[in-house]
Structures are given as structure tokens and as C-alpha cells.
Amino acid sequence: LKEMANVTWKNLIQTTIEHLGGADVEKIYQILQDSKKAEVNSNVRAKIRQVLNTNECFQKHGNDWILSI
């Protein structure tokens, strides 16, 4: 998915969290910073935070984000 430019941020983040079994936001930044989607977005960190905080399928659990689907 990281190589696809037309994938949604939600799908990228969801796949990352699924793969890791939960992750803190810094780890998510680290993994997605070199994605094709990130190449066309100068505010990658802000976008990731926005998607995490506005989608019900993501839930904060301690320092980590997990899926709530």
C-alpha cells in the first residue's frame, strides 16, 4: 500500500496499525513518511493525527493507537 498514491490515509494508517498490532503515533509517522502518499503532502504528521482523531475505527489505548473495528 505504501507504493500506491491513490490509497486513502485511513487505509494506510489502518494497515500499519494492523501490521504492528497497535502503534504509537511516532512509529506510524516513521513507517508512513516515505510512502507515495506522503510525497505529495507537506504536512504528513498533521494529516496522520487528523485521521487518527477523526475516524471511529482508531482508538487511543495508553500511548498506542489500536483498531476499534
Side-chain angles (χ1 to χ4, degrees):
L1 281 177
K2 283 176 54 173
E3 299 304 316
M4 298 173 64
N6 63 344
V7 67
T8 66
W9 278 106
K10 181 181 175 231
N11 286 342
L12 275 175
I13 295 167
Q14 181 176 336
T15 301
T16 301
I17 292 172
E18 283 176 0
H19 177 73
L20 298 172
D24 66 34
V25 73
E26 288 297 324
K27 185 67 173 175
I28 296 169
Y29 294 154
Q30 180 184 15
I31 290 171
L32 296 181
Q33 70 185 356
D34 64 345
S35 68
K36 289 281 187 192
K37 190 92 171 165
E39 289 177 4
V40 296
N41 189 325
S42 60
N43 296 305
V44 173
R45 288 177 170 251
K47 185 62 177 178
I48 290 171
R49 285 192 309 273
Q50 177 192 35
V51 172
L52 287 168
N53 285 299
T54 60
N55 284 277
E56 294 178 359
C57 66
F58 304 120
Q59 180 180 10
K60 185 88 183 226
H61 185 71
N63 289 328
D64 289 345
W65 286 92
I66 60 172
L67 298 177
S68 62
I69 53 174

